[in-house]
Amino acid sequence: MVFDIECFDGSEVAAGLVTRFRHKLIQRTPLFERLFACWRSGQEARTALTVPALRPVLQALDSVGTDRPPPRVDLSGASDDGFSGPCLRLVHCLPVTSRYGPALLVLATHAPDLTGVAPGADTAEHEANLMRYEALLAATPQVVCRVTQQGEVFTLVGRAGDVGDGLRDPGRSVRSWEARIHPADRVRFDQEWADAARNVVPLDTVVRAQRVTTTVSYRHVRVQAVPLLCKGAVSEWIGSVADAEEQWRLRTRDRLLERAAGAASARDLPEAYAAVAGAVVPDLTDAFLVFQLRHAEQTQSEDEALYATRPQTTTARGVPQPPPVGGDFALGSLAKEAIDTRQTRLVVFPPGEPPRDQVSTPTADWMVQANATSLVLIPIVIDERTVALVAGASCLGNPPLGESEVSVLEEILRTFQDPLRRSLELQSIRNTALVLQRSFLITPPHVDGGQVAAVYRPTSTTAEIGGDWYDATVLPDGALALSIGDIVGHDLEAATEMTKASSMLRALAYTHDHAGPAHTLGQLDQVMQGVSSVALVTAAHAVLRPRSHDRSWDVMLSNAGHPPPLLVPAAAPAHYLYGPQPADPPLCVASWIERHDWHHTLHPGDTLVLYTDGLVETPGADISDGLTQLASRATDLRRQRLSLSRLVTKLLARVGGAGDDIAIIAFQASNDF
């Protein structure tokens, strides 16, 4: 704060302001002028205070700023050397910031006879006044209180309503003052007060105190208090209460923005929301919920209700989790209002008594269970469209959210609108790509003498859309063509190129059914390099023909840089199929490369599994380890005598969080025709 000496006008303490280093007197009160008659304005202390009795004052001024406490000089025994020495009692020197820049404040008290106090009267109160004013210098002088050890609170300057837009008067006891502090701050405040008393150090803290309103609400205030000693023990406290709402808001915003920085680099919406939630719970709110909106064109419902999914829920300790919701669910009228107006909506209500007519039934039931006291709904607006709704709630009977908490929460969410926009755009791209991919993921055809099963799982990362595909086609001569492939890249372009490759491979296989897989892949390679800009395609293509005389199947395979097919025999460990030479290079590398076919026989009960590399590749690990683990899993599952569809599903389920798309297609030769 900038100190103003005028606050001492009319007080029993004399005050003078001097420059920080040369100690030139720049401002003084009338009483200071009487006590230091020899010290004129503009004069340096070393020139003015030449009498021996005042040399301790010069020494005190020189020592301000060291690690020692502010110096205090006792001049009560000074003799009359041409100045008002006998009237001086104590002099204090303290550093302050003034309108003139860094300065020193000189405080002095006087003997009683100067102010008409009867000779011989107790002068202890005069000394206490000096000590009290000294203690106030570090505090903002809006509301100043003296608190005795017996718990009495005396307002010395101002009144409670002077702080911010009005605080409730603390009354006459420490207990009643503490009762006005926000319950979430009370334990911390009590501990800080106890530590300050035990160590005899100043208290400086920011807490929420109850405001003078018709409803329960709070405002951040800065409480500063200094313990005063009497005979080595704390006898009382001098303190001030000043509005700190803006100070709290700025500091909290910066701290929470730093904590939520992960949202800026989040790869998908749940990750972005989780980063924000981790920053604001429990500092701003006891519960943080995100509702991803489903607009009319995105839902199957024909009514006018707005629907949403809930991708993120974070609660403070002790707050019950909201009930799980499956798929889309209808929002309440309060949410509709926030979405339509694009304005934040805050409702405050008695503990555990939410406005059921404004919120959905599941939300109301949860707020009753959580003993909620307030609910805020903040729309996330991107490109003039509300795409999500963030909800915050005060729970466990805690005081409701205030304007400051809501303001900070809004600011944090605004800061991360750009990352959220990117995530939403990527989500849209991913959804489009998934629709495109799945339109080419055929339902496995019925095959006499065998069965086909397939499964596909996209990557869990919004930013990465793979180009994986599988296909199964019954050829004109009754043979079965199986194929699987992977386009390099992870975006919508990769998914688009996948549709070209998959369609062309099916057409070539159908029209060249007797040419063999190597020839078909070679034709596809030439066409892709002519009509596609893709850099690399891996694929495995197989043609399976039944042998009616022994119920086995002849398999002709060609591999263009793809992971090796897995054979799961009916009564032996699973192993990989390799040709007489290594796999041929991927497609789109060089069209003149000669490609090769190789043969294998599937006996009744044997299973051939084609898959993409996401099933066996783990970042930072050798792919050979993944291949070994896959073969081991397949062997274990074969012993369980599962159906083919269950087998491929469990092969996929054994894989952890996907770092890439995974596609699997498998064929199993029947034991009978």
Side-chain angles (χ1 to χ4, degrees):
M1 62 173 267
V2 176
F3 182 79
D4 190 346
I5 200 173
E6 293 177 358
C7 67
F8 286 95
D9 287 347
S11 74
E12 297 180 0
V13 176
L17 198 63
V18 303
T19 58
R20 180 65 179 84
F21 296 106
R22 302 188 67 174
H23 311 323
K24 181 186 297 184
L25 184 61
I26 52 178
Q27 195 176 7
R28 59 184 176 178
T29 63
L31 181 56
F32 188 92
E33 183 178 2
R34 291 175 58 192
L35 292 179
F36 290 90
C38 59
W39 197 355
R40 300 186 303 275
S41 293
Q43 193 175 24
E44 294 181 9
R46 193 166 300 279
T47 302
L49 309 180
T50 57
V51 296
L54 293 182
R55 287 175 185 170
V57 178
L58 292 175
Q59 295 172 356
L61 289 170
D62 290 335
S63 65
V64 173
T66 65
D67 294 334
R68 296 189 301 274
R72 178 186 301 175
V73 179
D74 186 351
L75 298 176
S76 57
S79 60
D80 188 354
D81 289 324
F83 76 109
S84 302
C87 297
L88 285 172
R89 186 172 184 84
L90 291 174
V91 177
H92 290 207
C93 304
L94 304 105
V96 295
T97 299
S98 72
R99 71 183 72 172
Y100 310 100
L104 298 181
L105 180 65
V106 180
L107 296 177
T109 188
H110 49 81
D113 57 349
L114 184 64
T115 56
V117 178
D122 185 9
T123 60
E125 186 64 21
H126 292 275
E127 182 174 347
N129 282 337
L130 178 59
M131 296 170 63
R132 291 167 188 156
Y133 279 112
E134 176 187 352
L136 290 176
L137 294 178
T140 304
Q142 293 190 32
V143 174
V144 180
C145 300
R146 178 166 66 93
V147 183
T148 69
Q149 286 297 88
Q150 292 72 36
E152 294 179 301
V153 179
F154 297 94
T155 300
L156 302 179
V157 179
R159 56 186 179 84
D162 293 337
V163 179
D165 54 1
L167 295 178
R168 290 192 180 276
D169 197 306
R172 301 211 27 112
S173 71
V174 176
R175 185 180 301 271
S176 64
W177 164 246
E178 290 182 343
R180 302 301 183 188
I181 295 177
H182 194 293
D185 297 341
R186 206 168 290 162
V187 173
R188 172 177 60 84
F189 179 77
D190 288 346
Q191 184 62 50
E192 291 177 348
W193 188 285
D195 291 343
R198 183 176 59 256
N199 299 316
V200 194
V201 294
L203 171 72
D204 189 343
T205 188
V206 174
V207 295
R208 285 165 285 184
Q210 192 172 345
R211 298 165 57 189
V212 182
T213 57
T214 55
T215 59
V216 177
S217 62
Y218 292 82
R219 189 171 182 87
H220 290 85
V221 296
R222 184 180 184 184
V223 178
Q224 295 175 292
V226 179
L228 300 183
L229 296 178
C230 180
K231 298 180 180 179
V234 176
S235 61
E236 61 181 14
W237 295 76
I238 296 296
S240 71
V241 181
D243 184 68
E245 195 71 11
E246 184 64 13
Q247 172 191 348
W248 175 88
R249 191 188 69 80
L250 293 175
R251 289 184 178 180
T252 301
R253 179 202 63 183
D254 294 344
R255 176 171 55 85
L256 297 185
L257 285 175
E258 182 179 357
R259 190 189 299 175
S265 58
R267 297 180 299 173
D268 57 18
L269 281 175
E271 186 177 336
Y273 288 136
V276 176
V280 301
V281 176
D283 292 61
L284 293 181
T285 178
D286 295 318
F288 180 91
L289 301 89
V290 177
F291 299 92
Q292 192 81 31
L293 298 189
R294 294 286 187 267
H295 293 273
E297 68 273 15
Q298 298 174 304
T299 64
Q300 303 299 321
S301 173
E302 296 181 357
D303 58 27
E304 297 181 356
L306 282 175
Y307 290 81
T309 58
R310 195 175 66 212
Q312 179 67 39
T313 298
T314 302
T315 57
R317 179 177 299 179
V319 177
Q321 285 288 323
V325 291
D328 293 346
F329 63 95
L331 298 172
S333 62
L334 187 68
K336 292 181 184 178
E337 183 182 351
I339 293 168
D340 292 341
T341 62
R342 302 174 193 165
Q343 298 292 323
T344 297
R345 289 293 177 265
L346 173 65
V347 290
V348 176
F349 42 86
E353 300 180 20
R356 288 186 173 272
D357 59 334
Q358 298 184 56
V359 297
S360 65
T361 298
T363 299
D365 292 342
W366 168 74
M367 287 195 291
V368 171
Q369 183 184 7
N371 201 25
T373 58
S374 66
L375 174 69
V376 62
L377 296 175
I378 303 176
I380 303 298
V381 180
I382 294 179
D383 298 331
E384 299 185 354
R385 183 180 185 182
T386 303
V387 298
L389 199 63
V390 170
S394 293
C395 303
L396 305 179
N398 290 328
L401 290 165
E403 296 176 1
S404 294
E405 287 86 358
V406 173
S407 173
V408 173
L409 185 56
E410 286 178 321
E411 193 164 355
I412 291 174
L413 291 172
R414 280 196 301 270
T415 301
F416 291 107
Q417 275 194 333
D418 286 341
L420 290 176
R421 176 186 284 107
R422 291 196 300 270
S423 295
L424 288 167
E425 290 172 349
L426 292 172
Q427 182 83 29
S428 176
I429 292 173
R430 181 175 186 267
N431 292 339
T432 301
L434 287 177
V435 171
L436 194 60
Q437 283 179 310
R438 285 168 177 165
S439 68
F440 283 84
L441 299 177
I442 53 86
T443 300
H446 172 75
V447 179
D448 292 335
Q451 56 179 318
V452 181
V455 65
Y456 172 76
R457 185 177 77 182
T459 176
S460 60
T461 303
T462 303
E464 296 192 351
I465 308 300
D468 295 19
W469 88 88
Y470 61 74
D471 195 14
T473 306
V474 178
L475 302 180
D477 64 353
L480 175 67
L482 293 181
S483 60
I484 197 161
D486 188 1
I487 302 288
V488 68
H490 295 86
D491 49 27
L492 185 58
E493 182 180 358
T496 303
E497 295 298 335
M498 174 274 296
T499 64
K500 295 180 184 178
S502 176
S503 300
M504 287 188 289
L505 181 56
R506 170 180 277 207
L508 291 170
Y510 195 85
T511 56
H512 298 75
D513 55 323
H514 289 287
H519 176 79
T520 303
L521 287 179
Q523 292 292 307
L524 177 64
D525 195 6
Q526 291 185 16
V527 176
M528 288 288 291
Q529 293 191 57
V531 301
S532 173
S533 60
V534 67
L536 193 76
V537 181
T538 68
H541 183 53
V543 176
L544 292 74
R545 287 187 169 84
R547 296 176 180 176
S548 58
H549 62 282
D550 63 357
R551 298 182 299 172
S552 62
W553 289 72
D554 178 70
V555 180
M556 183 182 297
L557 275 158
S558 185
N559 189 340
H562 206 73
L566 177 67
L567 177 65
V568 187
H575 60 276
Y576 295 97
L577 299 181
Y578 297 94
Q581 66 281 321
D584 297 326
L587 307 179
C588 300
V589 174
S591 59
W592 62 85
I593 292 177
E594 181 182 1
R595 300 193 176 276
H596 304 85
D597 289 321
W598 41 278
H599 296 264
H600 187 79
T601 300
L602 285 182
H603 299 287
D606 289 356
T607 302
L608 177 68
V609 181
L610 306 180
Y611 55 92
T612 54
D613 55 8
L615 189 64
V616 293
E617 280 190 342
T618 301
D622 195 305
I623 191 173
S624 61
D625 295 335
L627 292 170
T628 301
Q629 293 171 11
L630 175 61
S632 177
R633 290 199 303 270
T635 300
D636 292 342
L637 293 172
R638 189 265 304 164
R639 295 192 183 106
Q640 300 177 26
R641 300 185 180 278
L642 303 173
S643 66
L644 184 61
S645 60
R646 290 284 292 162
L647 174 69
V648 297
T649 300
K650 283 187 170 290
L651 281 176
L652 185 62
R654 294 291 185 91
V655 181
D660 197 357
D661 288 11
I662 300 175
I664 304 175
I665 189 166
F667 173 82
Q668 187 176 77
S670 298
N671 286 309
D672 50 47
F673 282 92

